[in-house]
Amino acid sequence: MSRIITVAMPAHGHTGPLLAITADLVARGHEVAFLGGSRFAEAAGATGARFVALPPVADFDDRDINAAFPGRAELPAGPERALFDVRHIFIDPIPAQYQALQALLAEFPATAVIGDSLFQGMLGLALARPKGERPAVVSIGTAPPTLQSVDTAPFGPGLPPLAGEQGRQRNLALNAEATRRGEPLRQYAAALFASVGVALPEGPRTDTIVRAPDHYLQLTVPGFEYPRSDAPASFRCIGALPPLAAAEFETPSWWHELTDDRPVVVVTQGSLAHDDLTELLVPAVRALADHEALVVAVTARPDGPQALAERLGTLPGNVRVAGYLPFERLLPHADVLVSNGGYGGVHTALRHGVPLVVAGAGEDKPEVAARVQWSGAGLDLRTGRPAEADLADAVGQVLGEPAFRERARALSAELAAHRPLDAIAELVAALG
């Protein structure tokens, strides 16, 4: 058995997958130390791993991200806020992450470091020393890959592939422009790496995130990820992680209404983007108020049902509202998921063969939404604040055209054929 270090950014969408991997490695008999956010100490301990907290300068509580990063709330959603996030949430912690990882390695020599792909302090290990002089570095793609390719547009705006020579020329031009525009951030990151004695390579920083690790394992399947003829051999899709055991929950009084007698449309803004319910939940409920479907609005906040009712005035008769519901129990009853495009949530829907309507802005959500439409499993509304009419039309189209459900079911079968935890365990075994 091996000693393994697992690491993750202190945010739920990044930490959750790494804790699932950590628990599986512990169950297979490995000795594991998890380095992550302090609010996840109990969850990490429950895996059987040793928990090590990130230093305060690299730690934050993602449940109130604006409080953790003053000034963020004043920026409009879009490119300006995205730039703020990349600089302050993902790049600024690099030295502290790297130093914390080095300190842990000094007392807990490990065969491999397995981490969330956006925990960029982990890259320092891969960049500072050759393979034989350090642990193997295994990056887990918890968001769509940022790797540039002649076959794809650059990461960010959510542009799907364009076939043929026209597409290749478009991609070359857009990637060159993205590299130029990203150079100030690369230099900013390079200075932080240099402060701990690590040289960041020339070229797109987004490529280094994927190319520098010894192995880059993307948590999806080829049917949901753009093909790249020039991807490195270290890059592969291993499937989405299996669900955790559904927690016990109090079944709502309306649960018996989830039947095959009428369509069920589930609406969510995700587990964290729930401060402003008018982004998606309010317009979706209004758009579907006269629809034949039963609409289940999941607010992901304890006061959500009351807050949504206050914003709507009157709750439509076909709408049921909940604060928290386990999607592993809810989605088997759903015919459509209306979502803001969280990577994990979208894959949960696809595991159950549920097609989607996605309205997402910020972070990686435009890229996730674009992949939903490219894969044929749903529609991308290309905005984080969709109009009611557009939502109504999109839900009607996805419900009315069997191709969306068929494609979602095909992706469900593809996901079921992959065994990501086995793939990681086999890699660890091969490393010795």
Side-chain angles (χ1 to χ4, degrees):
M1 295 294 102
S2 301
R3 276 186 166 186
I4 308 294
I5 293 174
T6 53
V7 300
M9 289 286 294
H12 181 268
H14 299 266
T15 296
L18 267 298
L19 287 182
I21 292 168
T22 299
D24 184 72
L25 291 171
V26 171
R28 294 174 191 260
H30 298 290
E31 186 179 0
V32 185
F34 175 79
L35 175 64
S38 56
R39 88 170 180 93
F40 299 101
E42 183 177 351
T47 68
R50 170 187 171 189
F51 173 73
V52 180
L54 284 165
V57 71
D59 199 359
F60 59 87
D61 190 333
D62 62 320
R63 292 168 296 186
D64 194 353
I65 197 75
N66 290 331
F69 295 92
R72 184 180 186 274
E74 286 70 49
L75 299 174
E80 192 175 359
R81 184 182 292 178
L83 181 62
F84 178 99
D85 289 351
V86 171
R87 179 182 290 262
H88 298 296
I89 298 177
F90 297 106
I91 295 180
D92 281 351
I94 286 172
Q97 292 173 352
Y98 178 68
Q99 290 169 335
L101 184 53
Q102 290 283 44
L104 180 55
L105 280 167
E107 59 166 297
F108 188 84
T111 302
V113 175
I114 302 175
D116 153 39
S117 57
L118 293 178
F119 188 103
Q120 294 173 64
M122 179 178 63
L123 296 181
L125 292 180
L127 295 171
R129 290 184 288 164
K131 285 185 180 180
E133 299 177 10
R134 56 167 172 79
V137 176
V138 182
S139 190
I140 305 296
T142 57
T146 57
L147 181 67
Q148 287 192 7
S149 169
V150 70
D151 301 313
T152 64
F155 181 92
L159 296 176
L162 180 64
E165 185 59 26
Q166 180 185 1
R168 291 173 68 89
Q169 292 303 316
R170 180 203 71 170
N171 299 336
L172 287 170
L174 291 176
N175 285 327
E177 176 63 12
T179 299
R180 184 190 68 79
R181 293 171 65 89
E183 181 58 17
L185 269 181
R186 192 203 68 81
Q187 293 181 10
Y188 182 76
L192 291 175
F193 273 111
S195 72
V196 289
V198 176
L200 185 67
E202 297 291 330
R205 183 187 58 85
T206 53
D207 275 20
T208 301
I209 290 173
V210 179
R211 293 183 180 276
D214 303 309
H215 303 274
Y216 192 99
L217 309 180
Q218 188 66 40
L219 293 180
T220 192
V221 289
F224 194 71
E225 184 48 58
Y226 305 148
R228 295 172 174 82
S229 59
D230 48 3
S234 57
F235 177 92
R236 60 183 171 125
C237 296
I238 62 169
L241 292 172
L244 299 174
E248 292 296 322
F249 76 109
E250 185 176 349
T251 304
S253 61
W254 46 263
W255 194 259
H256 67 280
E257 298 180 62
L258 300 173
T259 68
D260 294 333
D261 296 337
R262 65 194 295 196
V264 175
V265 178
V266 176
V267 184
T268 179
Q269 287 185 197
S271 59
L272 293 174
H274 48 55
D275 289 340
D276 183 0
L277 299 181
T278 66
E279 289 181 356
L280 180 56
L281 277 168
V282 168
V285 167
R286 286 176 174 160
L288 301 172
D290 297 322
H291 201 280
E292 63 171 330
L294 179 71
V295 178
V296 179
V298 182
T299 63
R301 48 189 271 190
D303 68 336
Q306 178 183 351
L308 185 60
E310 289 173 353
R311 284 159 178 77
L312 290 168
T314 301
L315 199 65
N318 67 328
V319 175
R320 306 292 178 265
V321 185
Y324 298 94
L325 287 176
F327 271 37
E328 294 298 334
R329 298 282 298 275
L330 176 61
L331 287 180
H333 302 283
D335 295 280
V336 180
L337 174 65
V338 180
S339 163
N340 68 341
Y343 201 58
V346 164
H347 279 87
T348 300
L350 295 177
R351 274 206 315 272
H352 291 287
V354 179
L356 300 108
V357 172
V358 184
E363 297 112 15
D364 61 344
K365 292 179 174 60
E367 290 292 335
V368 179
R371 283 160 171 78
V372 167
Q373 183 151 321
W374 170 81
S375 69
L379 294 175
D380 173 12
L381 297 184
R382 298 196 63 81
T383 177
R385 287 186 173 275
E388 293 175 24
D390 293 337
L391 280 163
D393 288 347
V395 171
Q397 185 178 346
V398 172
L399 283 173
E401 297 181 16
F404 292 108
R405 169 68 76 167
E406 291 167 4
R407 186 65 190 127
R409 287 175 173 168
L411 286 170
S412 175
E414 188 178 358
L415 286 162
H418 283 70
R419 297 288 185 271
L421 293 174
D422 288 347
I424 294 168
E426 290 165 8
L427 177 57
V428 167
L431 295 172

